[in-house]
Amino acid sequence: RSDDSPFKVDDAFLRNYMDLIAFLLQGLPADGTLTAVMAYMVEDFYREGAVMDFPKGGSKGLIDALVRGVTKNAGCVARRSARVA
């Protein structure tokens, strides 16, 4: 963030909220996220009927599923989708 920019959020609550949205989107704070990405996320987030999905069991559930897949296939990750050349 540039200190001389006229475009900045001074409110601590809004800054933290924007950091949360940016982190959920790509794992970076808002000041490391492109404005277009943030605008899309905020617009989509507040669309009627919008929901935020999380993996069953959270991040740990995702890691556990990957470990099961690698262990089950003797260290190889199996894919169900067709390979694109």
Side-chain angles (χ1 to χ4, degrees):
R1 171 180 102 176
S2 175
D3 289 332
D4 60 346
S5 173
F7 307 105
K8 57 185 171 185
V9 176
D10 292 323
D11 184 270
F13 176 82
L14 289 178
R15 241 188 355 261
N16 288 334
Y17 181 70
M18 291 177 73
D19 279 340
L20 171 68
I21 290 174
F23 181 78
L24 293 173
L25 178 64
Q26 67 178 19
L28 293 173
D31 66 357
T33 305
L34 296 173
T35 304
V37 173
M38 289 294 295
Y40 175 81
M41 180 68 175
V42 170
E43 190 273 333
D44 197 47
F45 196 63
Y46 288 100
R47 183 173 290 151
E48 186 175 337
V51 296
M52 184 176 283
D53 295 326
F54 293 96
K56 191 174 187 177
S59 297
K60 183 178 182 323
L62 182 61
I63 298 301
D64 290 346
L66 288 170
V67 168
R68 280 193 312 274
V70 170
T71 304
K72 178 180 177 182
N73 294 296
C76 297
V77 177
R79 296 170 27 143
R80 290 186 185 164
S81 61
R83 181 174 240 166
V84 178

